[in-house]
Amino acid sequence: METAKDVLTALARRHAFGDLEALISQGTLVPDAHAKAIAALCAFGQRVLDLDAEDFGEPEAAGEVPRDLLDRARASRMPQAPRERPRGALASLRPAYRLLLEVIAIRWHRRDMAALVAAVHIAGEYLPMLAWEPVLGHAGDPALIGASVDGEGSRFGVPVEPGSARMCEHTRPERSACDRTLRVSKEPPSGWRNYLDRQHSQVASALGDCAARCRTPCTVMTRLDDLVRAGLTERCRLAADFTEGALVKLRHAAPVGHGFGVPSPEEVKRAWARARTSLAHQPLGKAALAGADDDPYPLPGLPALFSAIAADDLRPDTLLHDVTRRITSTLA
């Protein structure tokens, strides 16, 4: 016969943090000495699982969260003011992608396909910036990016003169976003947050176009060493192929997209298999996915693919699993 503690432990191991917090808040299942600590961990775990990145590392109303967990979350936080320190996901996207890999795996095991597809879509949006990070030395931080993309001969963010030949592959929204990223660090916090919400992902897309698609490159690319440029182009082409592939396109059949259906696990598997076939047509993709058949990750080969695009070893984080361990330890 299951006890209340058994049920709570099972919820924790399923990362059902919201349900667990709701039960704890009733005040009858856990001693008061432990209830507040568990409720705080649950609130924190749910925020991370929901990828509520703007509030990562913030204090929880439910109670105090251990500092080491907060610090790990802050590595994936988007700064909410132009001069906020540390710079979190603007310093590096690698912690965020490790966390995305953990979240995607958890959503798979919970059979929460709508949330899984949403996480995959987020990953696809910022993949070009992940590819650029080794070249920029940061993850597209507006306070620093000008040194790498601005200056004589650059068409980054420069409007097209009426009647002139189009020399840049960027769309009008991308040009607007590129122009704003060069000056948004001088805007007030409200303008900064508006930029992050609406335009930062477009800058990532624009940078991907610079490396992977531009037929008339400007000094954004020509200033780079030939080997650096070749590697960047290869990584951005792979990122573009993933973003346009079958797995990301599932978003349009889910509530997070434009329809009302939710893909089944089998549909997700088939979409990823099709995407892998397409990605393997590129040499970098073929090398990255060579060991996918032996990969125990729910979407086999995805960590290796992100690693190839990042030019770094990206493995799933354990932040949410560590939250669960803290909860189950306290329950015990």
Side-chain angles (χ1 to χ4, degrees), residues 31-320:
D32 290 343
H34 295 151
K36 191 168 184 179
I38 294 174
L41 286 167
C42 288
F44 171 78
Q46 191 63 49
R47 187 187 300 280
V48 174
L49 186 61
D50 289 341
L51 297 172
D52 185 10
E54 66 181 26
D55 292 325
F56 281 180
E58 291 293 287
E60 297 292 345
E64 187 173 348
V65 179
R67 181 61 182 268
D68 64 310
L69 297 178
L70 287 175
D71 286 345
R72 288 170 64 185
R74 287 188 182 112
S76 300
R77 171 182 164 86
M78 275 292 184
Q80 296 301 292
R83 295 176 182 82
E84 182 180 311
R85 294 284 187 268
R87 298 304 275 172
L90 292 179
S92 175
L93 279 169
R94 292 165 187 171
Y97 273 82
R98 292 185 180 102
L99 181 59
L100 278 165
L101 286 168
E102 183 183 21
V103 167
I104 289 168
I106 289 171
R107 293 300 190 183
W108 173 267
H109 291 301
R110 286 170 54 87
R111 293 299 188 259
D112 192 351
M113 296 300 108
L116 181 149
V117 169
V120 166
H121 172 73
I122 292 170
E125 278 198 318
Y126 289 97
L127 268 184
M129 198 74 85
L130 185 70
W132 267 88
E133 187 175 321
V135 176
L136 296 174
H138 54 84
D141 190 336
L144 302 173
I145 198 171
S148 298
V149 299
D150 205 5
E152 185 176 356
S154 171
R155 293 190 288 272
F156 189 86
V158 176
V160 176
E161 294 293 332
S164 64
R166 180 174 175 177
M167 302 290 288
C168 181
E169 300 294 328
H170 293 169
T171 64
R172 183 176 296 178
E174 286 175 342
R175 286 197 298 274
S176 176
C178 291
D179 173 55
R180 193 174 183 195
T181 200
L182 295 172
R183 52 187 172 80
V184 72
S185 61
K186 296 181 175 63
E187 293 187 22
S190 58
W192 171 265
R193 290 190 292 270
N194 176 271
Y195 161 80
L196 290 178
D197 288 343
R198 299 175 180 274
Q199 293 182 296
H200 192 57
S201 63
Q202 290 179 321
V203 173
S205 176
L207 284 170
D209 289 342
C210 288
R213 292 174 173 156
C214 187
R215 293 166 291 183
T216 55
C218 68
T219 55
V220 170
M221 292 299 295
T222 60
R223 72 183 75 190
L224 301 176
D225 175 85
D226 287 347
L227 286 176
V228 171
R229 180 174 169 181
L232 174 62
T233 295
E234 193 175 29
R235 296 195 304 276
C236 282
R237 284 176 178 165
L238 192 59
D241 200 352
F242 176 84
T243 301
E244 294 168 1
L247 183 64
V248 176
K249 285 181 179 177
L250 283 179
R251 172 182 181 267
H252 299 289
V256 291
H258 307 297
F260 295 96
V262 176
S264 68
E266 290 71 25
E267 288 173 314
V268 171
K269 277 185 177 180
R270 288 196 295 269
W272 176 232
R274 292 197 301 274
R276 278 174 52 186
T277 299
S278 175
L279 291 161
H281 290 154
Q282 297 189 40
L284 184 61
K286 184 177 181 179
L289 295 169
D293 289 339
D294 298 320
D295 185 1
Y297 189 76
L299 300 179
L302 189 62
L305 182 78
F306 288 172
S307 296
I309 292 170
D312 195 11
D313 185 14
L314 299 186
R315 302 182 187 186
D317 204 340
T318 60
L319 178 56
L320 289 164

